Amino acid sequence: MTTLAASLTPRKQVARLAAQILAPLQQGYLADRSPDVAALARLRRGAGREAGQLPDLWSLIDTGPLHVPPDDARPLDESDLVRAEDALHMALTLWALHQQSRPTGMHQADRKDSRRGLGTAVRRMMKPGEIDEPLRKRLVRAGTAPDLTSLAQRLRDIVVLLRRADIPLDYALLAGQLYTWQRPGGADVVRREWGSSFHAWHDKDAEKPGDAAPAPAGDKTTDSTDTDKDAS
């Protein structure tokens, strides 16, 4: 039992809950179900903003399971809960921004045969065999953000570019990383993970049938003027 309790860390609890929330929302949005389309529009307004600024989102991001952890997880203390809630808010609102107007799911699980981490996603926006310095610097700036608000805004800029390039991201993985980022010494851990996934990506991994073309490096990071079913 001790081994089991140690296996589900707070980070894994956050990532698992993010996946559980995202799955039905994304499925419902892609099926054009009105409640889910409306939920995405509400979530999108929180992208790049602190969790407490939009009480309207509290009902959409149910963090209740974190307060009653399963048998294979240790209870989260008050500081852990705050970090977890902030991480979930940031990840889910960024996903909502990313998913807008897209006919396929922009949240896709990271797998060994299909990497979906942030570093890999940024690298996929670059031309094969080249390093686009402006794009790389965006990732570096996100990793060196001085606080959570700055991190949210810098990630928002990256997500806008990923959205235009139709490049998906594992938002459950990101939620876990955002939780870790807030812990003492955690920013260094997450920077290494983002850097590792950036450098581990190879051109041959990206050019598969149906993959989107890279986004132009000079693309502005303002919201597009797309009008679609969830425009608001």
Side-chain angles (χ1 to χ4, degrees):
M1 186 57 121
T2 302
T3 302
L4 284 175
S7 67
L8 196 60
T9 63
R11 170 173 170 164
K12 289 180 180 178
Q13 292 181 57
V14 171
R16 185 166 74 172
L17 180 56
Q20 291 171 348
I21 296 172
L22 278 163
L25 273 176
Q26 181 163 275
Q27 183 179 18
Y29 174 80
L30 295 176
D32 201 18
R33 289 198 284 265
S34 296
D36 296 303
V37 171
L40 184 134
R42 289 166 60 192
L43 282 169
R44 194 171 65 247
R45 289 193 288 271
R49 301 172 67 178
E50 294 181 13
Q53 292 181 326
L54 292 173
D56 176 55
L57 302 185
W58 294 348
S59 62
L60 292 178
I61 304 176
D62 181 11
T63 59
L66 295 174
H67 294 260
V68 187
D71 292 338
D72 58 345
R74 71 168 177 82
L76 276 63
D77 62 28
E78 191 60 35
S79 59
D80 280 335
L81 286 169
V82 171
R83 294 181 187 114
E85 290 168 357
D86 286 342
L88 284 165
H89 168 88
M90 191 185 304
L92 292 171
T93 55
L94 288 171
W95 163 77
L97 176 65
H98 197 166
Q99 187 62 60
Q100 181 192 11
S101 306
R102 293 300 173 257
T104 58
M106 290 294 101
H107 162 60
Q108 295 183 18
D110 181 69
R111 304 190 309 270
K112 288 184 179 180
D113 64 340
S114 183
R115 309 313 311 199
R116 299 300 187 209
L118 183 65
T120 296
V122 170
R123 186 68 182 271
R124 286 185 64 197
M125 286 193 286
M126 301 179 184
K127 293 180 180 178
E130 298 181 12
I131 297 294
D132 186 306
E133 276 301 306
L135 283 174
R136 188 190 68 82
K137 287 179 180 178
R138 286 185 184 277
L139 181 64
V140 171
R141 287 188 72 245
T144 57
D147 52 51
L148 198 61
T149 300
S150 298
L151 177 61
Q153 293 167 348
R154 293 174 188 184
L155 288 177
R156 185 185 188 281
D157 289 344
I158 291 174
V159 164
V160 169
L161 294 178
L162 293 176
R163 174 176 170 270
R164 291 176 177 174
D166 283 323
I167 294 174
L169 191 63
D170 185 336
Y171 279 94
L173 171 62
L174 182 64
Q177 290 173 330
L178 293 174
Y179 166 82
T180 297
W181 190 92
Q182 299 172 74
R183 293 184 58 81
D188 290 337
V189 173
V190 174
R191 276 194 293 269
R192 285 195 296 270
E193 291 181 9
W194 290 347
S196 177
S197 67
F198 178 88
H199 291 292
W201 181 90
H202 299 288
D203 296 339
K204 63 182 178 59
D205 297 329
E207 301 305 319
K208 299 175 182 177
D211 275 4
D219 203 1
K220 297 180 181 178
T221 55
T222 54
D223 286 326
S224 73
T225 54
D226 291 352
T227 56
D228 74 327
K229 62 186 178 184
D230 66 321
S232 62

